[in-house]
């Protein structure tokens, strides 16, 4: 609950920082990094770090399929704060979507499997090479879909954040288990796998935050938060199921109940997505002319003449068409 409060608030603080940075330079969605000089963005970043540290502690002592769904509380925090602080109106159906996400998360938690016992980081290493499909999905989204559809489809940036986020959780959980075993007297720092997991966690966190900034700067926060939650939760549970075999030994009824929980969560995100209001900053300016502007003229003898801006207007010619009238 503590992590959800901090993470939900960080969305709003970072969004306000991104807006301030976008006034004086290129926006994050356009590849700009001016937000790194914005103190408000760093306050949001620190808030998110505090929330993630709380998550880190939870992942050490509980299975990922139990901890991750509880992040639904951050949806309520960010949606409510966005409504009052960012003036991003949350429709009544959006509130219903939030409630559906919470109900689905509750069902998932009630039927979550127990975590298997891990005795060394080497055992985690053997398990870590299995979720290769998740890595492949991340690469396809980053290399192909992001440059083509990232600015117009919210699911691209959020998909990258979700997939990379699931890998972040797996890496952080491995590091957390290594720290726990070391504290218990079984030194794990001597294994190179521990340091590989640590570097993987740092790399995934940086990548995840970069695309999350792009999503926040491009789309409505009240929509980014729940869709990110649903995708992140789904991919984390998938990666955890592949890596730690969480569902081995579970009955059909428990698995069916968790699937119903997933469908409820996805229904909630669909409702939120369909009721979202587009950001004014992402709407095209219908009155911005093309550059350079081209004008066509016709002389009395029927001869045509074309001129670009800056060339001066020839006398005795009558403008009959400007290309920017069709924009």
């Amino acid at each position: 609950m503590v992590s959800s409060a901090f993470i939900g608030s960080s969305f709003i603080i970072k969004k306000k920082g991104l807006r301030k940075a976008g006034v004086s330079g290129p926006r994050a969605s356009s590849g700009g990094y001016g937000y790194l000089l914005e103190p408000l963005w760093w306050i949001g970043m620190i808030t998110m770090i505090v929330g993630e540290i709380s998550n880190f502690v939870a992942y050490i002592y509980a299975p990922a399929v139990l901890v991750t769904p509880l992040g639904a509380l951050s949806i309520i925090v960010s949606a409510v704060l966005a409504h009052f602080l960012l003036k991003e109106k949350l429709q009544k159906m959006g509130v219903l979507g939030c409630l559906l996400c919470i109900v689905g998360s509750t069902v998932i938690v009630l039927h979550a499997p127990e975590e298997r016992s891990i005795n060394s980081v080497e055992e985690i290493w053997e398990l870590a090479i299995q979720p290769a499909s998740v890595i492949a999905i991340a690469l396809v989204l980053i290399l192909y879909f992001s440059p083509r559809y990232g600015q117009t489809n919210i699911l691209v940036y959020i998909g990258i954040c979700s997939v990379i986020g699931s890998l972040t959780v797996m890496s952080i959980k491995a590091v957390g288990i290594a720290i726990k075993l070391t504290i218990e007297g079984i030194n794990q720092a001597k294994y190179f796998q521990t340091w590989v997991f640590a570097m993987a966690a740092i790399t995934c966190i940086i990548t995840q935050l970069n695309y999350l900034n792009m999503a926040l700067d491009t789309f409505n926060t009240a929509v980014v938060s729940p869709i990110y939650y649903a995708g992140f939760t789904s991919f984390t549970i998938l990666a955890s199921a592949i890596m730690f075999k969480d569902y081995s030994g579970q009955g059909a009824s428990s698995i069916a109940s968790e699937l119903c929980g997933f469908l409820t969560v996805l229904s909630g995100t669909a409702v939120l997505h369909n009721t979202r209001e587009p950001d004014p900053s992402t709407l095209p300016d219908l009155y911005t002319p093309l550059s350079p502007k081209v004008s066509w003229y016709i002389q009395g003898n029927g001869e045509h003449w074309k001129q670009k801006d800056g060339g001066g207007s020839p006398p005795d010619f009558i403008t009959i068409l400007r290309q920017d009238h069709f924009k």
Side-chain angles (χ1 to χ4, degrees):
M1 293 179 66
V2 173
S3 68
S4 296
F6 277 101
I7 292 174
S9 301
S10 72
F11 277 106
I12 308 304
I13 301 172
K14 288 170 65 178
K15 180 66 176 280
K16 291 180 74 70
L18 289 170
R19 284 183 174 181
K20 289 186 66 177
V23 173
S24 57
R27 299 176 58 184
S29 58
S30 303
Y33 293 93
Y35 59 85
L36 295 175
L37 302 177
E38 178 56 50
L40 192 59
W41 184 87
W42 282 106
I43 294 175
M45 188 67 204
I46 293 172
T47 305
M48 175 172 278
I49 291 174
V50 173
E52 294 298 343
I53 290 175
S54 302
N55 263 338
F56 176 76
V57 175
Y59 281 123
I60 295 177
Y61 296 99
V65 294
L66 178 62
V67 176
T68 306
L70 293 178
L73 296 175
S74 65
I75 297 176
I76 301 177
V77 174
S78 62
V80 172
L81 291 179
H83 180 79
F84 291 104
L85 300 180
L86 299 180
K87 307 304 179 184
E88 296 179 354
K89 187 176 182 181
L90 183 63
Q91 307 286 349
K92 291 182 178 179
M93 291 299 294
V95 176
L96 175 62
C98 290
L99 293 176
L100 287 173
C101 290
I102 296 173
V103 171
S105 299
T106 303
V107 173
I108 293 172
V109 170
L110 292 176
H111 297 86
E114 295 184 1
E115 186 178 29
R116 63 178 295 178
S117 177
I118 303 293
N119 299 316
S120 71
V121 74
E122 290 181 312
E123 184 178 349
I124 303 176
W125 181 262
E126 293 294 327
L127 299 170
I129 61 176
Q130 299 179 53
S133 57
V134 178
I135 300 176
I137 293 173
L139 291 176
V140 171
L141 287 173
I142 292 174
L143 299 178
Y144 181 80
F145 287 96
S146 177
R148 292 172 173 81
Y149 309 109
Q151 293 290 315
T152 56
N153 193 327
I154 191 174
L155 296 179
V156 175
Y157 288 153
I158 299 301
I160 294 173
C161 293
S162 301
V163 175
I164 297 297
S166 68
L167 299 176
T168 302
V169 169
M170 297 301 103
S171 302
I172 287 178
K173 188 170 181 63
V175 174
I177 293 175
I179 294 174
K180 178 184 176 183
L181 293 172
T182 301
I183 294 175
E184 293 175 352
I186 308 174
N187 185 18
Q188 301 295 308
K190 62 182 179 180
Y191 299 111
F192 78 92
Q193 290 95 334
T194 302
W195 303 104
V196 172
F197 281 127
M199 293 302 299
I202 294 173
T203 302
C204 289
I205 289 172
I206 294 174
T207 304
Q208 181 183 357
L209 289 177
N210 180 55
Y211 282 97
L212 182 58
N213 285 330
M214 297 171 73
L216 287 172
D217 197 37
T218 307
F219 302 102
N220 191 303
T221 307
V223 181
V224 170
S225 181
I227 294 180
Y228 172 58
Y229 160 77
F232 173 66
T233 302
S234 300
F235 279 104
T236 297
I237 293 178
L238 174 63
S240 183
I242 297 174
M243 183 171 173
F244 294 105
K245 303 292 188 297
D246 290 325
Y247 295 101
S248 59
Q250 267 204 311
S253 60
S254 296
I255 296 176
S257 297
E258 290 204 47
L259 288 176
C260 291
F262 275 121
L263 291 175
T264 305
V265 171
L266 293 178
S267 299
T269 58
V271 171
L272 279 163
H273 184 65
N274 291 331
T275 58
R276 78 183 183 95
E277 293 182 347
D279 281 349
S281 57
T282 62
L283 295 175
D285 185 359
L286 299 179
Y287 300 99
T288 303
L290 295 175
S291 180
K293 290 180 286 187
V294 178
S295 299
W296 289 88
Y297 301 89
I298 186 169
Q299 199 173 9
N301 57 8
E303 295 179 357
H304 294 80
W305 186 85
K306 181 175 69 174
Q307 174 197 13
K308 290 187 177 181
D309 280 354
S313 178
D316 303 325
F317 280 29
I318 302 173
T319 303
I320 63 169
L321 179 67
R322 288 181 65 85
Q323 184 177 351
D324 59 294
H325 286 176
F326 294 96
K327 182 168 175 62

